[in-house]
Amino acid sequence: MIAPELSLVLVGFGHVGRRLVRLLTEVADRLDFEWRVVGVATRHHGTVLNPAGVDVERAAALVEANQSLDRLDPEPGERSGLDLLRQASSLLADDAAEGRLVCVESTVLDIERGEPAITHVRAALEAQMHVVTVNKGPAAFAYDELESLADAVDRVFFFEGAVMDGVPVFNLVRETMPAVRVEGFRGVINTTSNFILSALERGQSFDLAVREMQGRGIAEADPSLDIDGWDAAAKTAALVNVLMGGRITPHDVARTGIAGVRTADLREAIAHGRRVRLVASAGRRGAELIARVEPEMLAPGDPLAELADTENALYLRTDLLGEVGIVQRESTLTQTAYAVLSDLSRISLRLRDWTGR
Amino acid sequence: MIAPELSLVLVGFGHVGRRLVRLLTEVADRLDFEWRVVGVATRHHGTVLNPAGVDVERAAALVEANQSLDRLDPEPGERSGLDLLRQASSLLADDAAEGRLVCVESTVLDIERGEPAITHVRAALEAQMHVVTVNKGPAAFAYDELESLADAVDRVFFFEGAVMDGVPVFNLVRETMPAVRVEGFRGVINTTSNFILSALERGQSFDLAVREMQGRGIAEADPSLDIDGWDAAAKTAALVNVLMGGRITPHDVARTGIAGVRTADLREAIAHGRRVRLVASAGRRGAELIARVEPEMLAPGDPLAELADTENALYLRTDLLGEVGIVQRESTLTQTAYAVLSDLSRISLRLRDWTGR
């Protein structure tokens, strides 16, 4: 069996994108695909497009030294992420036609409309590229449209990293729970909030905890997205849309963040054997889908109550398997990058199935 | 896309086998395959073989009324499970050649050698049948041999139901965690023991708890297999062999059951905020694989400590995803039967990939 060779166009090259290319190199001997990066777009550090392959270690070093990628480009020019996608699909038309051209989208989430990620995903699919994104926006705002488009062009739209990094959530249900209906869920799915609540419980300061999460590359660039519950609301919308057939956006999620939670409240809860956690949940009330994100006072024995620091967990209520939980004990950049790796591996598997056994 | 039609030979038709055929009927509209049962073998209620299809509801009713299946057979005769497999593969040679003949094995575990399940699995594979089993024996005693055989004959050997019923464990790693190395695990994976420990904590009696589990069809026919830790040891061996590349049997697992656990010990533990649980674990010490099953005193915050009654959980230590847990909040016969359904669905997917898109 010959390993498929994937050509990657990286739209976004922040913490996750850079960790991804290094991770792919570190575990090269375990991959079921070959890969090269043919293009990289950044917001503030230029772009590079090279069908022969970009030197990704050099690209990462340039960005980390606050320099431009343009110097790596044989024909440098001003380009947006969208421009890069269009030029890449044109220069690599054969790869696109063979299903080996992949857009890896990791731009920053705009919580108003899910852009520019949605535009990137749409353009990539229209250009016959597969899409892997760690961005919550596309599944949270436009899952139905993008999944239909992917079907129509016979390409995939994968986003395992949108919730709980590389710990399988979407793949868990789609790949291992056939015929199961997801009736609802409860989870702790925003790492930064959970870390802050844990820090407050220990008597540490809110601001210090935020800076710690930013230092590890986990907090959103604008930490208010975490603190105000927007990140959890976007994940909740993605889960509702993908696993429960909803058609909601993050703005349909009833949302209360953790800004109003005080250390005294947390201590009081602990004194009564309870914990306060930012809980994301969804369920059905008749035909209506109810989704919410809010700090909840959790009783002892609640499986979400003991989640501390960077732990995440999601408990799915299902008809055939009862309640099933998936738990992430720690959250790191490697795990977010791994989400992309796992989606790329599924694309590789699909290419093998196509070309026969 | 035409749904593949699977012909099922059920070797074993106890609680799980009967729940399976009813479940497949209940969720028929959600399945990606058609199915019929062409043969059933039982230990005490005869056998039936009918290539035109067995009336499974009648078969289940006969067994439940303690009557023989022979009356359903066009040509009844004395047969072992092995005889049935051989006759079925001969009568349904076309189905076998097309990869649509499936042995569903659910006989009772013999902890000495893993028989007769291993013989059934081997014979079925040699006859070009796919195999789905909920039996722990084959993966616990002979995984390497049977997996190699399955590869050689281009058929599958699936056993998702061997650990944590239909909650994905083997499929979780194989389908959703590509390139990840499992370095070890800890889990509560024997439902009967956990139910007994929870009952003792509540001041109920050991024997009553055992009878409750037998009544629900969850305890092994011989409950000493649960109580003495053999069931957990067999699951541990299966996990070590499949997920960690081991070549051990349940006899290589250091094993202490719960027979020696007293109510006073449990109450004493609770008084100190701790819990006693039967923990299955494995890890590497240099080149050596260490596997054990024993009651452990768990500190508060240990994710296994809060598991009560019929809850199970398995925490995998991995290199790329850190520690990942999968949690089953309740264990029922439906969930065990679902394990077979999920494996059948994977066979169906394989048949679709074979026949093209």
Side-chain angles (χ1 to χ4, degrees):
Chain A
M1 180 79 62
I2 296 163
E5 181 171 321
L6 304 179
S7 297
L8 311 181
V9 181
L10 309 183
V11 182
F13 197 52
H15 291 296
V16 176
R18 299 196 302 275
R19 184 70 194 96
L20 170 67
V21 296
R22 286 164 175 156
L23 179 64
L24 289 175
T25 304
E26 286 161 21
V27 300
D29 59 325
R30 304 188 218 168
L31 299 179
D32 53 2
F33 57 89
E34 307 276 334
W35 61 280
R36 66 190 166 139
V37 170
V38 295
V40 181
T42 69
R43 242 188 332 176
H44 302 300
H45 300 98
T47 65
V48 52
L49 174 61
N50 188 346
V54 174
D55 178 341
V56 289
E57 190 40 61
R58 220 176 134 207
L62 281 172
V63 168
E64 284 157 8
N66 207 20
Q67 299 184 358
S68 170
L69 297 179
D70 293 2
R71 70 172 65 176
L72 297 180
D73 199 311
E75 298 178 47
E78 190 85 15
R79 297 184 193 96
S80 67
L82 196 57
D83 294 335
L84 181 78
L85 286 169
R86 288 180 176 150
Q87 291 174 30
S89 70
S90 157
L91 278 178
L92 293 139
D94 286 352
D95 288 12
E98 290 164 14
R100 298 189 294 105
L101 192 58
V102 183
C103 165
V104 177
E105 216 282 346
S106 64
T107 61
V108 174
L109 175 67
D110 155 35
I111 200 60
E112 280 309 309
R113 301 172 301 121
E115 294 290 4
I118 294 173
T119 297
H120 292 153
V121 173
R122 191 186 291 120
L125 289 171
E126 284 170 348
Q128 284 195 287
M129 300 167 75
H130 294 293
V131 174
V132 175
T133 181
V134 294
N135 203 305
K136 294 156 279 288
F141 282 90
Y143 174 67
D144 252 25
E145 177 213 328
L146 297 173
E147 184 64 22
S148 300
L149 174 58
D151 268 3
V153 298
D154 202 19
R155 293 293 179 268
V156 301
F157 163 43
F158 288 158
F159 42 81
E160 185 55 67
V163 179
M164 284 176 65
D165 305 321
V167 170
V169 172
F170 300 107
N171 289 338
L172 177 73
V173 175
R174 296 201 280 200
E175 301 294 320
T176 74
M177 298 188 183
V180 161
R181 286 197 182 133
V182 175
E183 295 168 342
F185 60 82
R186 286 177 80 231
V188 166
I189 54 179
N190 178 265
T191 302
T192 297
S193 302
N194 207 49
F195 188 85
I196 292 170
L197 293 175
S198 300
L200 292 179
E201 286 175 348
R202 287 189 294 264
Q204 295 167 348
S205 90
F206 201 104
D207 292 346
L208 200 66
V210 171
R211 283 202 296 277
E212 170 72 24
M213 285 289 94
Q214 287 176 315
R216 295 197 209 171
I218 290 176
E220 294 287 328
D222 173 1
S224 71
L225 288 185
D226 295 303
I227 294 159
D228 295 343
W230 276 119
D231 174 80
K235 289 169 174 168
T236 300
L239 290 166
V240 165
N241 292 341
V242 179
L243 303 183
M244 300 176 67
R247 289 183 176 219
I248 69 172
T249 80
H251 301 277
D252 299 315
V253 178
R255 181 183 49 81
T256 307
I258 61 164
V261 178
R262 302 280 160 243
T263 299
D265 305 333
L266 298 171
R267 295 248 167 117
E268 171 79 10
I270 290 177
H272 293 85
R274 292 165 179 266
R275 293 294 175 109
V276 176
R277 290 292 175 258
L278 185 67
V279 175
S281 62
R284 290 179 202 280
R285 191 159 55 201
E288 197 184 1
L289 278 166
I290 309 291
R292 74 177 73 246
V293 168
E294 64 186 356
E296 286 187 16
M297 177 81 78
L298 303 177
D302 187 311
L304 301 180
E306 295 293 333
L307 298 170
D309 297 322
T310 61
E311 292 180 320
N312 278 205
L314 182 69
Y315 285 81
L316 302 168
R317 280 196 310 283
T318 76
D319 63 342
L320 301 182
L321 284 173
E323 204 178 348
V324 176
I326 182 93
V327 185
Q328 176 182 27
R329 300 295 306 282
E330 59 211 87
S331 174
T332 66
L333 266 182
T334 299
Q335 300 195 20
T336 316
Y338 175 80
V340 177
L341 185 160
S342 76
D343 282 343
L344 292 176
S345 178
R346 287 178 67 209
I347 293 172
S348 154
L349 195 65
R350 191 182 144 102
L351 285 167
R352 284 159 186 263
D353 286 343
W354 265 359
T355 52
R357 302 158 164 275
Chain B
M1 179 81 63
I2 296 162
E5 182 171 319
L6 303 179
S7 298
L8 311 181
V9 181
L10 310 182
V11 181
F13 197 52
H15 291 295
V16 176
R18 300 198 299 278
R19 184 70 195 95
L20 171 67
V21 295
R22 286 164 175 156
L23 178 64
L24 290 175
T25 304
E26 287 161 20
V27 300
D29 60 325
R30 301 188 220 168
L31 298 180
D32 53 2
F33 56 89
E34 307 278 331
W35 62 280
R36 66 190 166 139
V37 170
V38 294
V40 181
T42 70
R43 243 189 333 177
H44 302 301
H45 300 99
T47 65
V48 52
L49 174 62
N50 188 346
V54 174
D55 179 341
V56 288
E57 190 40 60
R58 220 174 134 210
L62 281 172
V63 167
E64 282 157 8
N66 206 21
Q67 297 184 358
S68 170
L69 297 179
D70 293 2
R71 72 173 64 178
L72 296 182
D73 198 309
E75 298 178 47
E78 190 83 18
R79 296 185 194 94
S80 67
L82 195 56
D83 294 335
L84 181 79
L85 285 169
R86 288 178 177 153
Q87 291 175 30
S89 70
S90 156
L91 277 177
L92 293 138
D94 287 353
D95 288 13
E98 290 164 15
R100 297 188 295 103
L101 192 58
V102 183
C103 166
V104 177
E105 217 281 346
S106 64
T107 60
V108 174
L109 176 66
D110 154 34
I111 199 61
E112 279 309 309
R113 299 173 302 122
E115 293 291 1
I118 293 173
T119 297
H120 292 152
V121 173
R122 192 186 290 123
L125 290 171
E126 284 170 348
Q128 283 195 288
M129 301 166 75
H130 293 293
V131 174
V132 175
T133 181
V134 294
N135 203 305
K136 293 157 280 287
F141 282 90
Y143 173 67
D144 251 26
E145 177 213 327
L146 297 172
E147 184 64 22
S148 299
L149 175 58
D151 267 3
V153 299
D154 204 17
R155 294 294 178 269
V156 302
F157 163 43
F158 288 161
F159 42 81
E160 185 56 67
V163 178
M164 286 175 66
D165 304 325
V167 170
V169 173
F170 300 107
N171 289 340
L172 176 72
V173 176
R174 294 201 281 200
E175 301 294 321
T176 74
M177 298 188 185
V180 161
R181 287 199 180 130
V182 176
E183 294 167 342
F185 60 82
R186 287 175 81 231
V188 166
I189 54 180
N190 178 265
T191 302
T192 297
S193 303
N194 206 50
F195 189 84
I196 292 169
L197 292 175
S198 301
L200 293 179
E201 286 175 348
R202 287 189 295 263
Q204 294 168 348
S205 89
F206 200 105
D207 292 347
L208 200 67
V210 171
R211 285 201 295 278
E212 170 73 23
M213 283 291 93
Q214 287 176 316
R216 295 197 208 169
I218 290 175
E220 294 286 327
D222 173 0
S224 71
L225 288 185
D226 294 303
I227 295 160
D228 295 343
W230 276 118
D231 175 80
K235 289 168 173 165
T236 300
L239 290 167
V240 165
N241 292 341
V242 179
L243 303 184
M244 299 175 67
R247 291 184 174 216
I248 68 171
T249 80
H251 302 277
D252 298 316
V253 178
R255 179 183 51 79
T256 306
I258 62 164
V261 178
R262 304 279 158 243
T263 299
D265 304 332
L266 298 171
R267 296 249 167 115
E268 171 78 10
I270 290 176
H272 292 86
R274 293 167 177 263
R275 293 294 175 110
V276 176
R277 290 292 175 257
L278 185 66
V279 175
S281 62
R284 291 179 201 278
R285 192 159 54 203
E288 198 185 0
L289 278 165
I290 310 290
R292 73 177 73 247
V293 168
E294 65 186 356
E296 285 186 16
M297 178 81 77
L298 303 177
D302 187 310
L304 301 180
E306 294 293 332
L307 299 170
D309 296 325
T310 62
E311 292 179 321
N312 278 204
L314 182 68
Y315 285 80
L316 302 169
R317 280 198 308 284
T318 76
D319 62 342
L320 301 182
L321 284 173
E323 205 178 349
V324 177
I326 182 91
V327 185
Q328 176 181 29
R329 299 295 307 280
E330 59 213 84
S331 173
T332 66
L333 267 182
T334 298
Q335 300 195 21
T336 316
Y338 174 79
V340 177
L341 185 159
S342 75
D343 281 343
L344 292 175
S345 178
R346 286 178 68 209
I347 292 172
S348 154
L349 195 65
R350 192 183 143 101
L351 285 166
R352 285 160 186 261
D353 285 341
W354 266 359
T355 51
R357 305 161 161 272

